[in-house]
Amino acid sequence: HDLNLASTYADRIAVLDRGQLAAAGPREQVCQGELLSQVFGVRLETRWDKEVGHPYVIARPTELEAPAR
């Protein structure tokens, strides 16, 4: 359930959405912010770690979750 841990050690990743396969394949294809945001219902952004050579995921606040100013 830890996307960053899976991306670090797995060559291929499967993502389930309510028990149904939403995506499966190489981590570079599956770890896409738009896909993961739809599946998990939160705003996620994918970046590339050039040092280790794999993607990583960052959660971003939505307008409702943004801190008040």
Side-chain angles (χ1 to χ4, degrees), residues 38-68:
Q38 290 174 0
V39 170
F40 293 107
V42 295
R43 186 173 158 225
L44 298 172
E45 182 179 308
T46 303
R47 296 200 178 163
W48 190 264
D49 187 330
K50 296 175 188 172
E51 185 176 326
V52 293
H54 59 75
Y56 64 96
V57 179
I58 299 172
R60 295 290 185 203
T62 64
E63 278 57 69
L64 296 176
E65 297 169 340

